Amino acid sequence: MCLPKLQCVNMCLWASGMGLTTLTAARILKGQLENQPGEETVMTMDTFPNVGLAKTYSVDFQVADSAATATAYLCGVKTNLNIVGVNAAGRNGVCRTQKGNEVTSILKWAKDAGKSVGIVTTTRVQHATPAGSYAHSASRTWYCDADMPESAKRDGCTDISFQLINNTDIDVIIGGGRKYMTPTGTKDPEYPTDFFSNGERKDGRDLIKEWQNLKTGKVAHYVWNKADFDAVDPETTDYLMALFEPGDLRYEEERDPSMDPSIVETTEKAIRILQKNPKGFFLLVEGGRIDQAHHAGRASMALHEAVAFDRAIAKGLELTEEHETLTVVMADHSQPLTFNGFPFRGNSILGKSPLWAGDMLPYTTLMYGNGPGHKIVNGTRPDIRNVDTKSKDYIQQAAVPVDTTTHSGEDVAVLARGPMAHLFQGVNEQNYIAHAMGYAACVGADLRHCEGQTAPPLVHTTLKYNKNGAGAVSASAALLGSLLSGLLAITILM
């Protein structure tokens, strides 16, 4: 429970696709970018004293996707592949199975308790992880009405963009996804000559204008570039929608700093806007392009995304107080990245093993179990002796040929610090995370342990879960819950 005037913060950080191998490799890269050997480097997330594991399988698959996992750790319910915000009675792409099976998230629990809430992502704001906090959809790919089959529309289902502005009153929305918000043919303000950046909505609705109309009487800003974003004063702003790209944001290594802010900057702006609420706030921050870089087999890009995400964690910790903030860091799932080959200490994490393979050809320290990097021709691997494997565009070699890497099914790390961080230790089901965060924040369905509080709890929510120690709560304990794993969520409840 929170003492009077004590702000209890649950900070949630989620890094999509950031498995243990990615964590280790990103730590080394971070050190090497600072001209150190790398292995002994300490990431911000390494400083979290409570460590656990989360099991990531979905109801129907051993290896899950980001929609099923987001539903688990945000809504507290495991579900089927490709479904978001709907329990396992839902079937992929079948609208009628969605009705009556919707499940709500900790973001909504926090909002219903009077807290301010926000989402920050490096993907489109309609993507699976952020959508898990506000949407209910039988298909994670129904970004706008143009993506939906006519049968789903006839059965009364709505697209994820529509739900973004109509389901929950979200105070801060930051990411990409402009084209899903505007009518077909609407020219993009940044890429007016690019046909693929045009608006896609067939219903003729301009959801950005509709969002602005819904905020009449409030100080609400819509921005799409860094200059306007920087001009937003968090002290006087009630609502912010910032959509910096038609789709996903640019990778950190390719970002134009004059047009698009970094995840560190977006995280800071979100916190400063939300933390004005005396009842607290919940913020979900996702480093979503770690996963997307892995899917493309671009390990360098994925690791740079992870390093940027770690910096966002540091910024979140800087802006909050540990004695009143529970921060959890975790991933939704892993990727089939391997770290191998007996490289010497200090060898570039993006370099090659000094030991050659049995075919008398070199290989890289990082490789994928499957992916677009499978390039065996006539039984021979490519000779990479003169190839710059440190390039951001280099595609790592893979054992099995697929166009995009699949996810992998091993447990992911859950890292927590601050009040109630002990709840996130041990090996737990992924859907435990939402309940642990809700328990710490005194939001959601079960509030029996919150009776008799002298002040309502403040919570910043972070993505991560654990069941151990979820029983008793001291009357003087600050209730918080955070988690991070390809996504950063910060929530404050009072």
Side-chain angles (χ1 to χ4, degrees):
M1 293 184 183
C2 296
L3 299 177
K5 298 183 180 179
L6 174 64
Q7 287 191 333
C8 302
V9 178
N10 219 346
M11 215 168 63
C12 177
L13 301 83
W14 179 263
S16 186
M18 191 177 68
L20 287 174
T21 304
T22 301
L23 280 173
T24 303
R27 177 191 303 128
I28 295 173
L29 176 63
K30 180 178 180 181
Q32 293 180 344
L33 290 173
E34 298 168 353
N35 297 316
Q36 302 297 322
E39 294 83 4
E40 75 294 339
T41 299
V42 178
M43 299 271 275
T44 299
M45 63 185 86
D46 291 338
T47 66
F48 286 44
N50 295 275
V51 180
L53 293 173
K55 296 184 285 185
T56 63
Y57 67 92
S58 65
V59 169
D60 52 350
F61 280 78
Q62 284 184 338
V63 179
D65 77 318
S66 295
T69 53
T71 303
Y73 61 74
L74 288 174
C75 303
V77 176
K78 279 185 178 279
T79 190
N80 298 317
L81 211 71
N82 294 324
I83 291 176
V84 62
V86 179
N87 65 33
R91 293 293 177 266
N92 182 26
V94 183
C95 171
R96 65 177 180 275
T97 67
Q98 177 182 317
K99 299 307 177 66
N101 295 313
E102 297 90 346
V103 291
T104 57
S105 77
I106 188 165
L107 179 142
K108 178 167 174 50
W109 307 343
K111 188 66 179 185
D112 289 346
K115 323 307 173 187
S116 294
V117 298
I119 55 176
V120 171
T121 181
T122 55
T123 67
R124 65 203 78 178
V125 295
Q126 303 87 353
H127 209 258
T129 294
S133 68
Y134 64 82
H136 314 288
S137 182
S139 174
R140 59 175 288 181
T141 63
W142 291 350
Y143 300 129
C144 75
D145 65 317
D147 300 317
M148 301 176 65
E150 290 302 319
S151 60
K153 298 176 188 177
R154 288 195 301 269
D155 287 341
C157 285
T158 57
D159 62 273
I160 294 172
S161 292
F162 177 84
Q163 295 184 53
L164 171 65
I165 70 168
N166 288 287
N167 280 9
T168 303
D169 184 25
I170 303 174
D171 302 88
V172 174
I173 301 169
I174 301 177
R178 290 192 297 254
K179 65 181 180 180
Y180 306 113
M181 306 290 283
T182 56
T184 301
T186 301
K187 292 186 180 299
D188 186 82
E190 188 173 1
Y191 313 106
T193 61
D194 180 11
F195 172 81
F196 295 102
S197 296
N198 289 349
E200 295 187 359
R201 300 197 65 82
K202 290 183 177 180
D203 59 9
R205 303 181 75 152
D206 186 330
L207 297 183
I208 295 172
K209 289 184 179 178
E210 290 187 23
W211 177 84
Q212 291 172 316
N213 291 335
L214 289 170
K215 309 309 177 191
T216 300
K218 299 290 185 179
V219 179
H221 299 288
Y222 167 71
V223 301
W224 59 268
N225 60 70
K226 189 174 186 298
D228 290 343
F229 176 79
D230 289 344
V232 172
D233 181 359
E235 296 302 317
T236 60
T237 298
D238 299 314
Y239 292 92
L240 172 63
M241 178 185 285
L243 305 178
F244 297 110
E245 290 290 334
D248 299 320
L249 301 190
R250 294 182 181 276
Y251 288 112
E252 179 63 21
E253 285 294 278
E254 298 174 339
R255 178 176 62 88
D256 180 353
S258 69
M259 288 299 296
D260 301 327
S262 68
I263 189 174
V264 176
E265 294 170 295
T266 54
T267 296
E268 177 174 6
K269 184 80 76 173
I271 294 174
R272 293 194 183 280
I273 291 173
L274 298 175
Q275 66 186 183
K276 301 193 303 293
N277 187 340
K279 292 185 177 180
F281 70 90
F282 170 94
L283 173 63
L284 170 66
V285 181
E286 179 199 23
R289 301 226 69 187
I290 299 170
D291 180 60
Q292 293 176 340
H294 278 316
H295 277 301
R298 300 169 72 182
S300 173
M301 200 71 80
L303 298 189
H304 279 88
E305 290 292 306
V307 171
F309 183 60
D310 191 64
R311 295 188 181 118
I313 299 170
K315 178 58 67 174
L317 296 179
E318 174 190 323
L319 296 172
T320 56
E321 298 292 336
E322 182 171 355
H323 71 274
E324 62 183 21
T325 304
L326 170 63
T327 301
V328 181
V329 174
M330 71 175 283
D332 50 355
H333 55 72
S334 186
Q335 281 274 0
L337 181 70
T338 63
F339 181 6
N340 68 123
F342 294 107
F344 294 113
R345 176 79 180 272
N347 192 62
S348 171
I349 190 63
L350 298 170
K352 302 156 190 158
S353 169
L355 303 179
W356 287 18
D359 57 6
M360 299 307 295
L361 290 172
Y363 58 94
T364 52
T365 299
L366 299 177
M367 305 175 73
Y368 289 97
N370 60 50
H374 180 90
K375 295 177 177 144
I376 294 179
V377 178
N378 296 324
T380 302
R381 295 186 301 114
D383 185 347
I384 61 171
R385 281 177 291 182
N386 297 317
V387 174
D388 180 12
T389 60
K390 302 175 188 177
S391 165
K392 67 181 179 62
D393 297 316
Y394 178 70
I395 298 176
Q396 314 299 125
Q397 293 180 349
V400 176
V402 294
D403 292 336
T404 174
T405 67
T406 66
H407 295 165
S408 55
E410 71 269 22
D411 298 351
V412 294
V414 179
L415 313 170
R417 65 185 301 165
M420 303 296 285
H422 65 280
L423 294 178
F424 300 87
Q425 296 179 9
V427 180
N428 297 280
E429 295 292 347
Q430 194 169 38
N431 57 304
Y432 168 80
I433 296 172
H435 297 292
M437 291 190 293
Y439 183 90
C442 280
V443 299
D446 187 359
L447 303 178
R448 291 172 297 177
H449 63 293
C450 304
E451 295 176 3
Q453 288 187 139
T454 55
L458 290 177
V459 176
H460 274 220
T461 300
T462 301
L463 301 178
K464 279 319 171 196
Y465 72 90
N466 182 308
K467 66 187 178 187
N468 296 338
V473 177
S474 168
S476 64
L479 296 181
L480 306 161
S482 297
L483 79 101
L484 160 68
S485 154
L487 138 349
L488 164 62
I490 299 172
T491 303
I492 298 179
L493 309 177
M494 181 175 193

